[in-house]
Amino acid sequence: MSFPIGMMAAPDPDGGNPFLIVKATKEVLLAAKVSGCFKVYVCPADLGGRETLALVFAFFDDEDEPLNIRTPLVDDVESRHLLATLTSPFVNVHFFDEHGREFLIYEAEIDVPVITKSRLDGLKLLDSNFVQAQSMLHGVAGWFGLRTPQDDEEALTVKLAHNPLGESLAIQDARYPLHQHHGGKGYSISTLEREEPGNFQEEDIIKCLAMCFPQSQIYHGPLRTNDKEEICDVLVVTDQRVLIIQAKDSPNIERIAKQKLSRKQTTAMTAFKKAVGQVRGAQSYIKAGNGTLRYILNGEEQSIDISQKQLFAITIIKEVFERESEEYAKILNVFMVERSMPCYVIAYGMFFELCYRVHDPGKFFQFSEEMVESIKHLQDLPVINFHG
C-alpha cells in the first residue's frame, strides 16, 4: 500500500470478481460503513483543452457536501482497470486507511444507470502528463460542487452488501523499527471507530513525521518538569529547530459523522483555537528554560540544549474548512505577532499528504515556511495543492 490516498482497481488473477481498493482517512471509511454504500459520479472534464471524463467517489457523511476522492481517467493501465471494475456487477471492496491498515472488506454490488454505462463504454481514454491530469481535477471539483439531482440519479452506486470479516477490527503494529521515537511503547494499536481519539491521532501523526525525520528526533507527549503536564502532543527537535505540534481530533463514531456541516465547522474552529492556546503554553514553558528544554518521558527527567534552535509550531485538526479560512489566518497572525513564532494550521489528511510526498526534513520545513509567509501576506490560508 505504497500509493497515497486514492482509488485503485485490479482484476482477480483467478477469474473472480475484481478488486476495488479505497485508501483514505478514517472519516471516509466510517462514512462508507455507516451508509452501507458510496457513489461514483462520472463528470465532464478538461484534459489539456480536450474533453473527456473523470470520476468522483463520494462518501456521504453529509448529504450536500460529502467526503470525496477525485480521480482522473487517462490512457493508462490503472484507468482501464478502474473502468472495467466499475462496470462489473459485483466487486470486492477493500478499505485501507492512509497508513495502509485494512479495516473493512466488503462483497459489493454496483448499480450502473444505463446512460452512465453508455458514457463509460464510449469513452476514449486520452494521453496525459501528470500536471494535466492534476489540473483536470480542479474543474471536476467545481462541477461536483454544482451537481444537480439528475447528476445524483446518474451516479453509480456501490452497495456494500456483505463484510465477511466483521466491522470492528483492532490492528496492532509491533514492528520494532517503526516505534523507536522517544516516549514510544514499542507498538501501536489502531481502530477505525474511536471514542477517545487523542492518542490514536498522535501516534498517526508520529507515523507521518517518521517519513521525514529520524525517530530519534521525535518525542511523544513530553511532560513539563514543574507540574507533570504535557508540553505538547508531539515535539520534533532537529539540529536547527524545535517543532511544537498540537493536534485536535474528535471521536470517529457514527453520531459525530452524521453531524450537520455547520456543527462540524464550529467544532473545528473551537478545536483550532484550543490548539493555538496550548501552543502558547508550550512556547512559554520552553522559553522559560532559557535555552534548555527540560522534560520528563518514561518517568525520567532529561534536558536538551536548544539555545541555537528556532521554535516553530503546527496545529493539526481533523478538517480545515475553506469558508472559515480568513478567520483561521486572523487568529494565526495575531498569535505570530504576539509570540514572534511561526505557526500554521493544517488538516490531518493534508498533513499525511505532505509527509508522504516530501520524505525530507528540508522540504518539510520549506513547505511550512511558505505556508507561514502566505498566511502573513494573504491574511488568509493558502490553497494547498501537491503535484508530487
Side-chain angles (χ1 to χ4, degrees):
M1 293 302 293
S2 60
F3 68 90
I5 287 172
M7 310 296 299
M8 189 173 78
D12 182 351
D14 296 325
N17 296 326
F19 298 97
L20 181 62
I21 298 167
V22 183
K23 188 177 183 186
T25 61
K26 65 185 187 299
E27 291 79 18
V28 169
L29 272 59
L30 182 62
K33 174 185 171 182
V34 170
S35 300
C37 68
F38 58 91
K39 286 183 174 290
V40 187
Y41 292 77
V42 179
C43 317
D46 180 280
L47 184 58
R50 299 167 293 169
E51 293 184 0
T52 186
L53 299 174
L55 303 174
V56 175
F57 294 79
F59 303 86
F60 286 85
D61 63 331
D62 181 84
E63 191 64 31
D64 294 324
E65 298 187 49
L67 300 167
N68 63 83
I69 298 173
R70 303 188 299 276
T71 302
L73 290 173
V74 297
D75 191 10
D76 60 17
V77 65
E78 289 82 8
S79 292
R80 287 191 286 275
H81 283 329
L82 195 53
L83 286 173
T85 298
L86 291 176
T87 51
S88 300
F90 302 101
V91 296
N92 298 304
V93 187
H94 294 250
F95 288 89
F96 294 81
D97 76 354
E98 72 279 3
H99 292 294
R101 296 171 296 213
E102 188 174 25
F103 281 110
L104 299 169
I105 301 172
Y106 290 99
E107 297 168 359
E109 304 171 5
I110 302 183
D111 178 17
V112 186
V114 174
I115 188 171
T116 305
K117 188 176 189 307
S118 174
R119 288 174 188 154
L120 293 176
D121 289 343
L123 174 62
K124 177 178 173 54
L125 295 173
L126 303 177
D127 292 329
S128 171
N129 61 44
F130 184 79
V131 173
Q132 285 179 328
Q134 287 292 312
S135 297
M136 172 201 292
L137 300 183
H138 301 318
V140 169
W143 178 93
F144 186 69
L146 298 172
R147 69 190 186 284
T148 66
Q150 182 177 343
D151 296 322
D152 291 332
E153 290 177 7
E154 294 177 359
L156 292 76
T157 301
V158 182
K159 302 175 183 177
L160 306 175
H162 175 60
N163 186 322
L165 298 182
E167 299 177 310
S168 301
L169 297 179
I171 297 175
Q172 178 172 302
D173 186 343
R175 290 173 290 178
Y176 181 82
L178 302 183
H179 298 87
Q180 297 308 297
H181 54 276
H182 300 280
K185 302 185 295 290
Y187 67 91
S188 58
I189 296 175
S190 188
T191 61
L192 174 57
E193 296 195 48
R194 304 173 177 182
E195 286 278 359
E196 299 292 337
N199 192 68
F200 291 119
Q201 187 197 38
E202 291 161 19
E203 291 184 340
D204 285 346
I205 287 169
I206 288 169
K207 284 181 170 62
C208 295
L209 290 167
M211 301 180 200
C212 300
F213 299 93
Q215 293 199 41
S216 60
Q217 296 181 344
I218 303 171
Y219 298 74
H220 185 191
L223 306 180
R224 299 192 290 247
T225 57
N226 54 2
D227 59 9
K228 308 291 193 299
E229 295 293 328
E230 275 193 355
I231 298 171
C232 59
D233 290 326
V234 182
L235 200 67
V236 181
V237 182
T238 72
D239 292 340
Q240 297 178 318
R241 293 180 175 88
V242 176
L243 174 60
I244 298 166
I245 293 182
Q246 196 64 45
K248 292 294 172 192
D249 202 356
S250 56
N252 199 51
I253 56 177
E254 182 173 350
R255 175 177 57 82
I256 300 298
K258 288 185 172 181
Q259 284 181 340
K260 292 186 178 298
L261 194 62
S262 58
R263 176 66 182 275
K264 292 179 180 179
Q265 287 178 230
T266 301
T267 299
M269 183 60 71
T270 300
F272 166 66
K273 290 177 179 177
K274 187 173 182 179
V276 171
Q278 290 172 320
V279 170
R280 275 194 178 86
Q283 190 213 26
S284 295
Y285 175 79
I286 293 170
K287 283 285 191 182
N290 295 316
T292 300
L293 172 58
R294 295 179 176 83
Y295 66 94
I296 298 171
L297 265 181
N298 300 325
E300 296 183 9
E301 184 172 332
Q302 302 183 52
S303 64
I304 305 172
D305 179 5
I306 59 168
S307 56
Q308 303 302 312
K309 303 182 192 295
Q310 177 194 8
L311 290 180
F312 205 107
I314 302 174
T315 58
I316 302 174
I317 60 178
K318 176 186 282 190
E319 187 172 4
V320 175
F321 290 92
E322 185 176 341
R323 64 192 67 182
E324 303 281 350
S325 61
E326 290 185 1
E327 181 65 16
Y328 288 115
K330 178 181 177 181
I331 293 167
L332 288 168
N333 278 316
V334 168
F335 170 83
M336 288 191 283
V337 169
E338 173 193 324
R339 293 300 179 111
S340 299
M341 180 175 72
C343 180
Y344 68 95
V345 63
I346 189 169
Y348 170 76
M350 196 60 69
F351 184 75
F352 166 81
E353 289 273 356
L354 165 63
C355 296
Y356 177 89
R357 292 180 183 278
V358 301
H359 274 84
D360 178 84
K363 292 179 179 178
F364 179 96
F365 279 114
Q366 179 184 345
F367 169 89
S368 298
E369 289 164 357
E370 289 173 357
M371 282 286 291
V372 167
E373 289 307 309
S374 293
I375 291 167
K376 291 178 178 178
H377 176 70
L378 299 173
Q379 300 292 303
D380 200 350
L381 297 186
V383 176
I384 302 173
N385 183 36
F386 293 109
H387 289 291

